[in-house]
Every structure is written in structure tokens, then in C-alpha cells.
Amino acid sequence: MAEGILVVLDQENGRVRRVAYEMLSRAQEIAAGTVTALTFGPGAETLAETLGRYGADQVVALTGDAFTRYSSDGWAEAVRQVVEVIDPVALFFPATAWGKDLSPRVAGLLEAGLATDCTEIHPSEGGRLEAVRPVYAGKAFQRVRIDTPRQLFSLRPNIQPVIEHGRPGQLRPVTVSVSPDQFQAVVTAVENNAGGTVELTEADIIVSGGRGIKAPENFKILEGLAEVLGAALGSSRPVADEGWVPHSYHIGQTGKVVSPTVYFAVGISGAIQHLAGISGSKYIVAINSDPDAPIFKAANYGIVGDLFQVVPHLTEEIRRLKE
Ligand code: FAD
């Protein structure tokens, strides 16, 4: 009978995102069988020890020509072949852009159910798993059980705690038969708009600007605050649509879903479509000149005031405290 959990994760030159450790930690806590990490590309084979420490009993590293550049259809087929060998009862994917692209294709190939963007995952009856995921733009939570033999889940980053299990993982050789010549789509280049700053979906602190900043050059006020806090920068949709910031900053229902410890909403009114992307934040701090702005209903801390006065003061005060 199938058991165990296959955790599918992306890596670059032997480095993984924090969400990889979060998924492995949770998998190790709840798996009835072996936890296998599956990863791809140059450097993947160096990860066995690290991934083992966070919960991988074994690591499958797919390397070679087919895995130097991401291909949705090609890599999904590779995952399907690994599933045939490992025979897991569940697969975990990160709910990142990469995982959101790959997981539905794997679900299609396996004819399996997929619960996306889960914030909780628990053991359930009969060795099955049950997940919790936000619905209706974060206004409600849904409990999901999947009836197909394989159960697929994508897990929202920054939610599960990272636990060190302290045992080394082992490389498990698995051969798959996929050829780059047959791939229908391949990613040929990746441009990093964020210029080396912290990735939004994994950031612990986010400073986010809305239309209240009034002009693109004013975004530097927020950059100053982000810098002293070591925070990532985000924005509401209109600010990205206007071209004041790159589209990669856009947070909300149609943008990125974030779950930082602290989210600063600066000059953001708090439209439901924006709140949909930030409901996983532990603390929301709103800075807005309108005391009736809806963001104050969602915020844990609110500052009613002109952002052009409040933000520089806050930045200076934090800088002073850090010295
Ligand atoms: P506004 O609503 O214009 O708010 C600006 C705020 O700044 C106001 O509250 C104002 O009081 C405050 N302000 C002004 N001056 C100052 C000052 N000097 N100091 C302090 N505060 C000041 N939006 C998203 O963000 N993300 C999405 O993913 C998204 N998806 C959408 C999908 C659909 C289908 C639709 C229809 C809309 C979507 N929107 C989304 C747009 C959303 O409805 C709102 O229009 C948008 O979030 C508003 O952006 P904002 O808060 O920056 O601007």
C-alpha cells in the first residue's frame, strides 16, 4: 500500500527556499512512512545532508540536461515517473510561483486531487490527510480531504514551523526517462526585478505602498523604512499597474499572497482584493491619513497620519533603536 510523503522542491546551485524546510518538517511530523525530497538541477545532489536535517529520510536528485532549465510539462512528467517508483500517498509542493505552475500539471498526469495554498495540514482518518485553505479572499477557511489514491497539496510559505530532526538524509538514485527535445515549453531566462532584496513570499517583514504615496519617486521613503527593518518591498495593484514599481511587488488576489510576521500597509486603503493577499500576516500595521480607511479593520496596529511625516519619523526612530 502506498504510504509516505514526496516533497517536491526547487533549488538553485544547492540552495533551497525556506519553504522547503517548512514542508519537510511538517511531512516528517505527520507521515506514516518515508519522507522523500525530490529536487532538480545542477547542485541538487549536494542537498541530501541538509534536507535530511529538516526531515527528508531520502533525497531524489534529478540532474542532467533535462533539468538545467525548468519545463512545466517535462518536469511534471519526471515527477510522475518518480511517483511510480517511490509510491507516496501524498505529494507536497510549495505554493510559490514555481509550485503553483508545476503542481496542477502533476495532478493532471496522476489524475489526483490537489488542494492549493494550504495553511494547515493534518493526519486524518484511514491514513489520509486533511488540509485547511483560505477561500473567498481569505474571509473563510475550508477543510479539504482528497479522495483520489494520491493526495496533492501546495503549502503556503512562512506558515509551518521549521524543525531540525537531526538525522542525515540519503541520496536515493531514481532514473527517469524524459528528453528536453520533447519538452513543449522551457524557461530560457529569469529576470530578478527585486534586485537582490528579500523574496516577498518568504519575507518576515514587508513594507508595502499604496496609491497614498502619490508618485513613483516617493517610494524611496518606503525603501528607507524597508532598509532599516531588513524588509521586502511590496505594493497594492494600482501602484504596480501605474508602473511606479515592478509588477513583482503587486500583492493581493491577483498578485502575490504573502504571510510575513509584520506587514506595513502604507497609504493602502484596504480593499478586499488587497486583503486577500495579506490575511496570512501575523501583524498588520496600517499607516493611513483617513481614520475610516477599511485597512484599520484588518490592522493590529494603526497610525492615523500623513505617511510623508509618519514614515520618516518611524524610520529614524528604528534606526536610532538599532544603534
Ligand atoms: P486607494 O484605494 O486609492 O487608497 C489609497 C489610500 O491612501 C487611501 O486609503 C488614502 O486615505 C491613503 N492616503 C492618501 N494620502 C495619504 C497620505 N499622505 N498619508 C497616508 N495615507 C494616505 N488591488 C490590490 O492591491 N491587489 C490585488 O490583487 C487586486 N486585485 C484586484 C482584482 C480585481 C478583479 C479588482 C476589480 C480589483 C483588484 N484590486 C487589487 C484593486 C482594489 O480593488 C483596489 O482598487 C486597490 O487595492 C486600491 O489600491 P490602494 O489602496 O493603493 O489605493
Side-chain angles (χ1 to χ4, degrees), residues 125-238:
E125 297 132 33
R128 314 288 296 171
L129 298 178
E130 183 179 86
V132 175
R133 58 188 295 273
V135 288
Y136 303 124
K139 287 235 171 286
F141 289 88
Q142 184 182 56
R143 290 189 178 281
V144 188
R145 257 173 277 163
I146 296 171
D147 287 336
T148 50
R150 314 260 185 226
Q151 310 154 77
L152 273 59
F153 303 92
S154 68
L155 272 61
R156 187 180 280 194
N158 265 3
I159 301 278
Q160 312 292 336
V162 170
I163 301 163
E164 284 208 38
H165 295 269
R167 45 179 198 234
Q170 292 189 340
L171 272 182
R172 160 104 188 249
V174 173
T175 308
V176 295
S177 163
V178 290
S179 161
D181 305 339
Q182 288 159 0
F183 292 174
Q184 291 167 16
V186 171
V187 173
T188 53
V190 176
E191 275 180 40
N192 188 356
N193 275 335
T197 55
V198 192
E199 161 61 29
L200 265 182
T201 53
E202 301 197 339
D204 196 38
I205 308 175
I206 295 174
V207 174
S208 192
R211 222 161 13 196
I213 68 161
K214 296 192 171 59
E217 58 273 20
N218 295 334
F219 217 79
K220 65 178 180 301
I221 298 175
L222 303 193
E223 287 168 6
L225 179 58
E227 194 196 326
V228 291
L229 289 167
L233 284 163
S235 78
S236 66
R237 175 170 156 174

Side-chain angles (χ1 to χ4, degrees), residues 1 47 65-66 70 80 102 110 135 142 164 186 198 272 288:
M1 199 184 96
L47 281 165
D65 287 353
Y70 175 59
R80 188 195 66 75
L102 184 63
L110 295 173
V135 288
Q142 184 182 56
E164 284 208 38
V186 171
V198 192
I272 185 165
N288 199 303

Side-chain angles (χ1 to χ4, degrees), residues 211 214 236-237 250-251 254 269 273-274 288 306-307:
R211 222 161 13 196
K214 296 192 171 59
S236 66
R237 175 170 156 174
H250 166 190
I251 291 169
T254 45
S269 59
Q273 295 90 356
H274 188 77
N288 199 303
D306 181 354
L307 73 90

Side-chain angles (χ1 to χ4, degrees), residues 87-121:
D87 197 19
V89 72
L91 281 78
F92 288 0
F93 295 83
T96 55
W98 180 84
K100 284 178 185 171
D101 185 68
L102 184 63
S103 55
R105 292 171 192 274
V106 176
L109 290 175
L110 295 173
E111 299 187 359
L114 165 68
T116 57
D117 209 17
C118 301
T119 51
E120 290 177 39
I121 189 148

